[in-house]
Each structure stands twice: as C-alpha cells, then as structure tokens.
C-alpha cells in the first residue's frame, strides 16, 4: 500500500527506515525575521523618545551686553548662550528678513557659545535665540533686535517685563547725545510729551502691551518696539512653624531629579529590550535549525513514502 504525504510547510529532507529528519521551515525563518524587525523598531522609538526627553530637560538662555531692543547702526554687540547645567555646545541663531542662519555663517564671530557682531547693520535686525548642536532650541529667552539707520531710537526693555513693575522708555538721538524733548506713541496713538526724553509706565499690566515709538523734533522718528507683559506668579507664604528652606538642598534635589529623568528612559529601554529578546523555539525538539537544502524556499515538496503491511 502506498501513501502520498505532503511535506509543507515543513520540508522533509530525507527518509530512512521510516524515520525522517526535519529542517526549519520558511515560516519559522520569517517569524524570526519579523521578531528582529519589531525589536529594532521598538529600540529606535525608544531612542527617539529619549532624545526628545533629553533635549527638553536641557535649556539655555540668551544673555546680551545691551539693555535696549533698538540699537544704532554701527554698534558692537555680544550675545551668549548660558545653559542651565553649564554645558557647552550651544550657538546663537537668528531669523532676519533674508534668511535663518547660525552665528559665523556670513555674520558674527563665534567663540564657544558666544557670538560677537563688531558692526551692526540694518540687515541684522531680526529674532535671535539659542540652539544646541542637536537641533533643540531654547526660545524662552529669544529677543527681537531692531537696528536703526536713522538718527532716533527708542530704548525699551529687551525681554518681557513683569506685571506690576515700572518701565522707563527713553527717546535717544544719535547726535547730540544729550536728552531732548520727545513725543511718545503707543500703537500709533500719541500718549504724551516728555521734556527729559524719558517716559515711565507705572505698575504695568497687560493693558500696557503694544507697539511703542517716539519722535524728536528736528531729529526724526524711531522704529516701533513691542513691550510684552508677563503675569507675576503669586508668592506662596511659608507654612507656620516651618523652617525656611535653603537653596542648597533645593538645588541638589533638582539636580538629582534631572539626572533621574534623563537616566530612566535608558534603563527602561534596556529592560524592554532584554524582555523582548527571549529565545523562542521555532520548531519541535526533533527539528534542526538549518535551512532547507533540497528544495527552494516557499515550494511545497511532496514525498512518497512506501509502507509495507506485515500480515
């Protein structure tokens, strides 16, 4: 009596004495390949999330050597990126009407995390901020710099002012340098004359936000500058009987917490990778792990086995 046996999906390489040696099927190889691809995808996602987390925990602020958002053409300025953890690797970038570029790319002289512009031109007007080598930006301390080629500028705060503070605006002529009577405007509306050339806004609030400019008779008018007001956070009174905290322990706790936040993703990704990479049997105990040699992958092999009935 003869029987026809279909040997798919597991290929039967040879038959001897009624017993055969099985090889790993194509399906098993595909399963192993799929597992490897899934592990690589998980690992890449974890690296991406970790890089985002690390970049978000490191910030830098832009420090400048001038106190006004408007400067005369020809002024020398220095801008520096100071990281919260004291690290280097930050550079000054800007966005002007022409293009977005990095310090040293056709403008400024870069020294570590500092950028010096020896001679300002009107074309240097734009938004300046800090950016790390990895591409993460710190826009919380970005500044808008306006370079005037005229004879009058309005000296106003570079950064947003705190709600409740007093803000002084100064109208300055390039020549003569002494103070002259000036008229001040907000959003194009006249708000007053000052004989000293200075106007003080008392206890500013959100209603004081807007575009300010000034003019000096016989000299000209300044460009406009925006004044932004940020809300003051309410002070939290210390609980009665509690000892005042010192900055030392708080700084230490902040440093430890920051390092833990950065370290945890690496630790978690390692645990996940180890848990995923568990060796799994791809066939039964009697199967070997070598690929089929007699037949092409994916082709169903039929082998006829002759069995004798003993009477």
């Amino acid at each position: 009596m003869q029987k026809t046996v279909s040997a798919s999906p597991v290929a039967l390489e040879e038959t001897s004495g009624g017993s055969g040696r099985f090889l790993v099927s194509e399906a098993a190889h595909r399963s192993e390949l799929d597992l490897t691809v899934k592990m690589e995808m998980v690992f890449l996602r974890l690296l991406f999330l970790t890089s985002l987390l690390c970049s978000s925990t490191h910030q830098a602020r832009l420090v400048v050597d001038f106190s006004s958002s408007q400067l005369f053409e020809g002024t020398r300025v220095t801008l520096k990126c100071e990281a919260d953890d004291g690290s280097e690797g930050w550079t000054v970038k800007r966005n002007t009407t022409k293009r977005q570029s990095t310090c040293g790319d056709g403008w400024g002289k870069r020294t570590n995390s500092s950028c010096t512009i020896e001679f300002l031109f009107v074309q240097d007007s734009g938004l300046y901020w800090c950016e790390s080598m990895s591409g993460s930006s710190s826009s919380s301390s970005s500044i808008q710099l306006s370079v005037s080629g005229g004879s009058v500028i309005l000296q106003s705060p570079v950064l947003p002012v705190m709600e409740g503070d007093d803000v002084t605006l100064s109208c300055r002529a390039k020549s003569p340098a002494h103070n002259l009577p000036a008229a001040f405007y907000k959003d194009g509306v006249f708000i007053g004359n000052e004989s000293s050339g200075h106007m003080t806004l008392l206890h500013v609030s959100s209603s004081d936000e807007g575009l300010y400019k000034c003019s000096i008779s016989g000299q000209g008018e300044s460009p406009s500058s925006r004044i932004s007001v940020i809300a003051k956070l309410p002070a939290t009174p210390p609980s009665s009987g509690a000892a005042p905290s010192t900055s030392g322990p708080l700084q230490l706790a902040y440093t430890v917490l920051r390092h833990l936040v950065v370290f945890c993703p690496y630790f978690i990704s390692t645990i996940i990778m180890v848990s995923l990479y568990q060796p799994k049997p791809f066939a039964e105990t009697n199967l070997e792990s070598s690929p089929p040699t007699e037949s092409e992958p994916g082709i169903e092999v039929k082998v006829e086995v002759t069995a004798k009935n003993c009477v």
Side-chain angles (χ1 to χ4, degrees):
M1 182 178 64
Q2 290 186 343
K3 295 181 180 179
T4 301
V5 181
S6 177
S8 176
V10 180
L12 181 62
E13 183 185 26
E14 61 181 2
T15 305
S16 177
S19 62
R21 186 163 61 94
F22 292 89
L23 302 178
V24 177
S25 67
E26 180 185 4
H29 284 286
R30 287 183 177 177
S31 177
E32 182 180 3
L33 180 61
D34 291 342
L35 179 61
T36 303
V37 172
K38 289 179 181 179
M39 291 171 60
E40 290 178 353
M41 292 299 296
V42 171
F43 181 68
L44 291 175
R45 289 174 182 175
L46 287 172
L47 283 181
F48 176 71
L49 292 175
T50 301
S51 63
L52 288 180
L53 182 59
C54 290
S55 62
S56 63
T57 55
H58 290 59
Q59 294 293 323
R61 61 190 183 99
L62 184 61
V63 180
V64 297
D65 63 350
F66 50 90
S67 58
S68 174
S69 61
Q70 290 185 17
L71 296 172
F72 285 117
E73 192 175 39
T75 307
R76 179 185 185 274
V77 296
T78 298
L79 307 95
K80 182 179 180 181
C81 296
E82 291 187 353
D84 55 2
D85 58 354
S87 61
E88 296 292 336
W90 292 84
T91 185
V92 178
K93 295 196 70 172
R94 75 179 187 182
N95 189 14
T96 63
T97 54
K98 289 186 176 181
R99 63 186 179 117
Q100 180 176 309
S101 55
T102 305
C103 179
D105 182 15
W107 62 276
K109 179 181 179 182
R110 181 183 173 189
T111 305
N112 296 327
S113 297
S114 297
C115 181
T116 301
I117 305 176
E118 295 291 343
F119 192 100
L120 282 175
F121 292 95
V122 176
Q123 295 85 349
D124 292 316
S125 299
L127 183 68
Y128 290 74
W129 71 92
C130 292
E131 186 168 298
S132 68
M133 294 302 183
S134 61
S136 60
S137 60
S138 179
S139 58
S140 58
S141 60
S142 60
I143 64 169
Q144 184 72 40
L145 178 61
S146 177
V147 182
S148 174
S151 57
V152 177
I153 61 171
L154 175 67
Q155 293 181 327
S156 59
V158 177
L159 299 175
V161 296
M162 189 71 66
E163 184 179 19
D165 290 349
D166 296 340
V167 177
T168 298
L169 307 177
S170 298
C171 197
R172 180 186 170 193
K174 191 171 185 178
S175 178
H178 58 79
N179 298 326
L180 296 174
F184 291 86
Y185 302 84
K186 177 194 174 187
D187 297 328
V189 179
F190 174 75
I191 57 175
N193 284 313
E194 295 292 340
S195 59
S196 61
H198 304 289
M199 173 175 281
T200 300
L201 307 177
L202 300 175
H203 311 300
V204 294
S205 62
S206 58
S207 61
D208 293 308
E209 291 184 326
L211 290 173
Y212 289 80
K213 66 179 181 179
C214 67
S215 63
I216 297 177
S217 179
Q219 295 288 331
E221 187 177 85
S222 73
S224 297
S225 287
R226 175 169 293 278
I227 292 182
S228 300
V229 180
I230 57 177
K232 181 179 294 185
L233 296 176
T236 304
S239 58
S240 58
S245 59
T246 60
S247 59
L250 289 177
Q251 182 66 28
L252 178 61
Y254 171 73
T255 303
V256 172
L257 179 61
R258 187 179 66 220
H259 283 80
L260 284 176
V261 169
V262 174
F263 170 75
C264 282
Y266 292 100
F267 179 74
I268 295 174
S269 61
T270 303
I271 296 298
I272 294 178
M273 290 297 296
V274 171
S275 64
L276 287 176
Y277 193 70
Q278 294 292 334
K280 297 181 178 180
F282 296 101
E284 299 296 333
T285 307
N286 294 330
L287 300 183
E288 293 183 4
S289 60
S290 59
T293 57
E294 293 296 326
S295 60
E296 293 295 327
I299 300 177
E300 182 179 309
V301 180
K302 292 185 178 181
V303 181
E304 291 187 354
V305 180
T306 301
K308 294 181 179 180
N309 293 331
C310 295
V311 182

